[in-house]
Amino acid sequence: MHLKTKDYLFVGIQFLLFLLFIIDFAWIKLLLPNIIKIVAAIIAILGLVVLLLAILQLNRNLSPFPSPKSNSELVQTGLYKFIRHPIYTGILLSFFGYAFFTESFFWVLTTIFLYILFLYKLKYEEKMLADRFENYSNYKKKTGRFFPKLF
């Protein structure tokens, strides 16, 4: 795997956004009804399950960097049969769920920035995957980016 500056930049910014979850500006709370907090907790737990399953299914192909490993294979089974990037899905669901559960406006905002970063990172990552795997464009047509395609 030949890593480029963009690989390190995307992972570095992602890591910094993860670190922001250590900080919470408690004076800016959302004050949500309990039902929203319960749903948010369920979403956070679902996100963790998706994240862990996706990591296990990706197995030796796992890398924090957008560029695929030189000895990697295109995984198209399990969650990857329906979603191209279930690890990102799990992270986003977990972070959004937890942010709303804790009523943290700062963490919701941080997760929005993480989502935006993922959009840019995935544009770069999917170009690398298309260059590496000739059948990636067909796989991309059949699967959703973060959630399964309905049609």
Side-chain angles (χ1 to χ4, degrees):
M1 173 170 58
H2 179 68
L3 297 177
K4 299 177 177 138
T5 304
K6 277 188 176 181
D7 288 284
Y8 291 107
L9 182 63
F10 282 125
V11 171
I13 294 170
Q14 182 178 324
F15 181 71
L16 289 174
L17 288 170
F18 286 173
L19 282 178
L20 287 178
F21 263 77
I22 296 171
I23 304 167
D24 187 21
F25 295 102
W27 65 87
I28 308 173
K29 289 292 181 183
L30 296 172
L31 302 175
L32 300 170
N34 281 337
I35 188 68
I36 300 291
K37 290 175 67 174
I38 291 168
V39 170
I42 292 167
I43 289 171
I45 292 167
L46 175 66
L48 284 175
V49 170
V50 168
L51 175 62
L52 293 174
L53 277 174
I55 288 171
L56 289 173
Q57 291 169 355
L58 199 54
N59 200 350
R60 64 179 183 81
N61 298 294
L62 182 65
S63 170
F65 298 103
S67 296
K69 295 165 104 175
S70 56
N71 62 345
S72 64
E73 300 171 4
L74 181 60
V75 177
Q76 299 180 63
T77 57
L79 294 173
Y80 292 88
K81 183 176 181 178
F82 308 102
I83 306 169
R84 294 192 306 275
H85 304 284
I87 290 176
Y88 297 136
T89 301
I91 291 169
L92 290 171
L93 289 174
S94 298
F95 280 36
F96 269 122
Y98 186 72
F100 280 103
F101 175 74
T102 59
E103 300 179 309
S104 172
F105 176 77
F106 181 73
W107 288 345
V108 169
L109 193 60
T110 301
T111 307
I112 290 170
F113 284 121
L114 185 63
Y115 171 73
I116 293 167
L117 173 71
F118 282 168
L119 291 177
Y120 284 100
K121 184 178 177 187
L122 288 177
K123 185 177 179 183
Y124 173 68
E125 182 172 340
E126 290 193 330
K127 183 188 179 324
M128 300 288 115
L129 290 167
D131 290 345
R132 171 86 169 84
F133 303 107
E134 65 183 54
N135 61 337
Y136 191 77
S137 61
N138 289 332
Y139 172 65
K140 190 175 175 179
K141 290 176 189 172
K142 296 185 295 185
T143 56
R145 179 180 286 157
F146 294 118
F147 297 98
K149 282 190 174 181
L150 298 177
F151 303 103

